[in-house]
Amino acid sequence: GAVVSQHPSRVICKSGTSVKIECRSLDFQATTMFWYRQFPKQSLMLMATSNEGSKATYEQGVEKDKFLINHASLTLSTLTVTSAHPEDSSFYICSASLQSHYTEAFFGQGTRLTVV
Amino acid sequence: AQKVTQAQTEISVVEKEDVTLDCVYETRDTTYYLFWYKQPPSGELVFLIRRNSFDEQNEISGRYSWNFQKSTSSFNFTITASQVVDSAVYFCALSEGYGSGNTGKLIFGQGTTLQVKP
């Protein structure tokens, strides 16, 4: 199967700072990438859909100015959590769809963000 | 509106018991895909199965089997002879659309935590 690499796997940052999470499709081109958030012991909630070369589409209730998404190439999407606060602490996971095969989303390993 | 419901929040079984995880979905789309993922404590999502809405055949893969019934909008997952390594959170998910009409966007259920005790 296709490989999606997410980095970093864990990050601890101070309140008020920004942190960037990268999502890379290693062996395929991904025109669409998705960013999910998972609170402890809860389900995965879609935050935004990222399309290469265009602005991300955010789900209702997700602050686009706080969660900046950039999909500059067919193999890389980044999520930047700006001015992080402890309530932003969560597990963030990305997925990517193959350009010509939309029926399966391949997931990265996830990033556990802790804001102190 | 699309929705996936996993009514069982937590299930605890003893090793070698069979266990079924329930999944009920809602969609107005006539074409869709259903998935099951396993999430071990490390957090990554492990893909288990994908089933499209046209294929109601049950599937068996080793100790895993899936029962898809469109009439009841259910896609249940059974683990036979459970093992301690099966302990994880299991998610059922729905993706609407088919072929090029499907974007890969997933709607997840709440997840079922399975604990298999030795």
Side-chain angles (χ1 to χ4, degrees), chain A residues 32 34 36 38 41-46 49 59 91 93 95 97 101-110 112, chain B residues 33 35 37 39 41-45 47 50 91 95 98-111:
Chain A
T32 305
F34 304 90
Y36 295 85
Q38 184 181 29
K41 296 184 185 276
Q42 294 191 28
S43 186
L44 290 87
M45 301 301 295
L46 181 65
T49 302
E59 295 297 302
F91 188 68
I93 191 165
S95 71
S97 285
H101 183 128
Y102 295 95
T103 59
E104 182 175 348
F106 300 95
F107 284 88
Q109 305 93 320
R112 195 164 301 280
Chain B
Y33 291 89
F35 300 78
Y37 286 91
Q39 187 178 43
S42 54
E44 80 274 16
L45 285 177
F47 169 80
R50 177 185 71 245
F91 289 98
S95 186
Y98 188 73
S100 60
N102 182 291
T103 62
K105 173 181 173 179
L106 291 169
I107 306 299
F108 285 88
Q110 301 90 323

Side-chain angles (χ1 to χ4, degrees), chain B residues 51-69:
Chain B
R51 173 66 72 212
N52 73 55
S53 53
F54 299 111
D55 184 2
E56 284 193 75
Q57 279 192 341
N58 293 331
E59 182 156 340
I60 298 175
S61 176
R63 296 184 296 108
Y64 297 168
S65 62
W66 291 269
N67 181 273
F68 176 28
Q69 293 195 350

Side-chain angles (χ1 to χ4, degrees), chain A residues 12-65:
Chain A
I12 300 173
C13 70
K14 290 185 177 181
S15 189
T17 62
S18 296
V19 61
K20 181 185 286 187
I21 302 170
E22 292 187 348
C23 180
R24 293 181 184 272
S25 56
L26 297 185
D27 51 1
F28 67 99
Q29 293 184 326
T31 53
T32 305
M33 289 186 175
F34 304 90
W35 288 95
Y36 295 85
R37 181 175 182 175
Q38 184 181 29
F39 289 105
K41 296 184 185 276
Q42 294 191 28
S43 186
L44 290 87
M45 301 301 295
L46 181 65
M47 299 174 65
T49 302
S50 166
N51 292 297
E52 185 266 337
S54 63
K55 290 184 179 180
T57 302
Y58 290 82
E59 295 297 302
Q60 192 172 10
V62 177
E63 298 177 62
K64 59 182 180 182
D65 293 332

